């Protein structure tokens, strides 16, 4: 009974920052994202009556505290749902190094949810998998469906889930991740979410979200890259303004973050269209079209603080692998 699942990381175009229910991870607003084709987690789960306790290996190393506690808590919930009595061995591997600063909670909890639910005998729909993943990490619910995804805020546990707006081949967009900072962030996103409301700008941000979500969906349906990019960039700066004005303030940027942002603005000024977005970390995601990605990659490599560039296309959703 060993089940293996693959799940992508995702980058939010419209961000999830702030929850109205922390325990259930119900977000203050709906969000929109794109799955990443080259940043993913593969997780295997095996239940066996001979196992004496639950075991979690991350990238080949057994861990028992920190992240493992969150994993065990999620496993416990799945075991309760499926009435599984046996202990599990969970092996999880990210194809991106932990130190690359790419968040692994989205891909990690999506892969774990799919593998553990299947291995315990549950037959869940995409919607149910998305809901269950959300309880592990909010952004993980967007890593279940394929391509371009919307996470509908919802009002209760059962109506806050993500679904696909368009498949991966709908639009050949690229996300070039300019890595400027490696290593763990000091304040996790879970802690950050809890501080969002202390920013004087938070309420104003939330008021504008419904309109922003519908605008970006329009841009996606028309494949209007300029409109999409303008919203994506404004949204990232907006979220980081809330982070920086929280009490105490949260600064996720490094000097290299600003250098890359400036490079993106310069590229645009010189006629190459690309837009930046940034999650709860220092690395910059540069969104561009296929025709420009080689040139943009070259320009970003020339920025002194950039340690490496990870090239992603639009990715598939979570699925089982043989
Ligand atoms: C800035 O999903 O990591 O990346 O639900 O507490 O696990 P938890 O938070 P998480 O938050 C992601 C925040 C973000 C924006 C986004 O991905 O929408």
């Amino acid at each position: 009974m060993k089940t293996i699942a693959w799940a992508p990381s995702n980058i939010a175009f419209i961000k999830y920052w702030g929850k109205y229910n922390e325990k259930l991870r119900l977000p203050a607003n709906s969000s929109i994202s794109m799955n990443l084709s080259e940043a993913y987690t593969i997780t295997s789960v095996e239940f066996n009556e001979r196992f004496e306790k639950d075991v979690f290996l991350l990238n080949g190393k057994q861990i028992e505290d920190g992240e493992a506690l969150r994993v065990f808590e999620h496993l416990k919930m799945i075991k309760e749902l499926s009435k599984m009595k046996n202990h599990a061995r969970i092996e999880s591997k990210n194809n991106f190094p932990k130190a690359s600063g790419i968040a692994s909670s989205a891909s990690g909890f999506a892969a774990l949810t799919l593998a553990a639910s299947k291995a315990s005998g549950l037959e869940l729909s995409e919607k149910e998998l998305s809901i269950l993943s959300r309880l592990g990490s909010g952004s993980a619910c967007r890593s279940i469906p394929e391509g371009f995804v919307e996470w509908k805020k919802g009002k209760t546990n059962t109506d806050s889930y993500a679904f696909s707006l368009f498949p991966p081949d709908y639009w050949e967009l690229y996300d070039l991740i300019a890595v400027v900072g490696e290593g763990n962030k000091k304040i996790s996103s879970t802690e950050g979410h809890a501080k969002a409301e202390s920013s004087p700008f938070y309420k104003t941000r939330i008021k504008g979200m419904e309109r922003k979500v519908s605008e970006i969906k329009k841009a996606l349906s028309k494949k209007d890259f300029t409109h999409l990019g303008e919203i994506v960039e404004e949204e990232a700066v907006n979220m980081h303004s809330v982070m920086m004005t929280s009490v105490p303030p949260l600064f996720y940027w490094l000097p290299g973050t600003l250098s890359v942002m400036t490079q993106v603005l310069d590229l645009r000024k010189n006629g190459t269209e690309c837009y930046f977005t940034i999650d709860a970390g220092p690395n910059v995601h540069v969104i561009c079209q296929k025709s420009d990605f080689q040139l943009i990659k070259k320009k970003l490599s020339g920025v002194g603080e950039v340690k490496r560039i990870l090239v992603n296309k639009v990715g598939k959703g979570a699925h089982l692998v043989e």
Side-chain angles (χ1 to χ4, degrees), residues 74 88 174 193-194 237 290:
H74 199 60
Y174 278 68
H193 281 286
V237 175
K290 189 184 181 190

Side-chain angles (χ1 to χ4, degrees), residues 253-293:
W253 296 0
L254 289 174
T257 312
L258 266 171
S259 305
V260 177
M261 290 159 77
T262 310
Q263 177 62 264
V264 168
L265 300 184
D266 280 352
L267 274 158
R268 269 216 311 277
K269 210 160 77 195
N270 295 320
T272 305
E273 219 183 348
C274 54
Y275 299 88
F276 63 76
T277 182
I278 309 156
D279 274 347
N283 302 319
V284 186
H285 294 247
V286 181
I287 311 296
C288 64
Q289 299 172 100
K290 189 184 181 190
S291 49
D292 299 320
F293 104 86

Side-chain angles (χ1 to χ4, degrees), residues 10-19 22 25-26 29 31-33 70 103 105-106 109 133-142 151 185 188-194 205 235 239-240 243 252 278-281:
N10 68 71
I11 178 67
F13 290 167
I14 303 295
K15 313 285 189 188
Y16 146 56
W17 196 248
K19 306 172 193 179
E22 274 192 50
R25 295 189 145 83
L26 294 173
N29 57 272
S31 54
I32 305 280
S33 60
R70 209 164 143 185
S105 74
F109 278 98
S133 301
R134 191 201 76 230
L135 294 167
S137 175
S139 54
C141 78
R142 295 190 312 239
W151 171 10
K185 51 189 173 206
S188 71
S189 22
T190 303
E191 289 171 83
H193 281 286
R205 165 173 168 75
E235 163 61 0
M239 177 184 72
H240 280 268
M243 291 166 161
Y252 283 113
I278 309 156
D279 274 347

Side-chain angles (χ1 to χ4, degrees), residues 93-250:
K93 281 202 176 107
N94 299 324
N95 78 322
F96 46 94
K98 192 174 160 56
S100 68
I102 309 303
S104 60
S105 74
S107 55
F109 278 98
L112 173 65
T113 303
L114 178 56
S117 62
K118 192 82 188 168
S120 64
L122 290 171
E123 286 297 337
L124 301 180
S125 64
E126 182 183 281
K127 175 176 161 181
E128 290 166 326
L129 284 166
S130 179
I131 291 169
L132 206 50
S133 301
R134 191 201 76 230
L135 294 167
S137 175
S139 54
C141 78
R142 295 190 312 239
S143 288
I144 296 288
E146 64 169 0
F148 298 93
V149 172
E150 173 172 3
W151 171 10
K152 197 167 62 77
K153 169 187 166 189
K155 289 198 176 70
T156 60
N157 178 44
T158 48
D159 68 358
S160 182
Y161 62 94
F163 51 89
S164 180
L165 293 170
F166 298 103
D169 61 2
Y170 169 72
W171 195 1
E172 218 169 350
L173 291 188
Y174 278 68
D175 173 13
L176 307 184
I177 310 175
V179 177
V180 296
E182 303 186 299
N184 280 340
K185 51 189 173 206
K186 290 189 189 73
I187 307 285
S188 71
S189 22
T190 303
E191 289 171 83
H193 281 286
K195 295 192 186 354
E197 271 183 56
S198 66
S199 161
F201 305 133
Y202 178 70
K203 280 207 173 75
T204 313
R205 165 173 168 75
I206 297 303
K207 263 193 221 146
M209 292 314 265
E210 285 301 317
R211 196 191 53 81
K212 229 191 276 192
V213 167
S214 77
E215 276 302 304
I216 205 160
K217 279 162 68 177
K218 256 190 244 163
L220 272 169
S221 65
K222 289 189 196 149
K223 295 191 188 168
D224 181 342
F225 186 61
T226 304
H227 194 38
L228 178 107
E230 284 171 356
I231 299 172
V232 164
E233 218 174 78
E234 183 276 337
E235 163 61 0
V237 175
N238 185 309
M239 177 184 72
H240 280 268
S241 305
V242 166
M243 291 166 161
M244 290 179 198
T245 49
S246 294
V247 187
L250 274 176

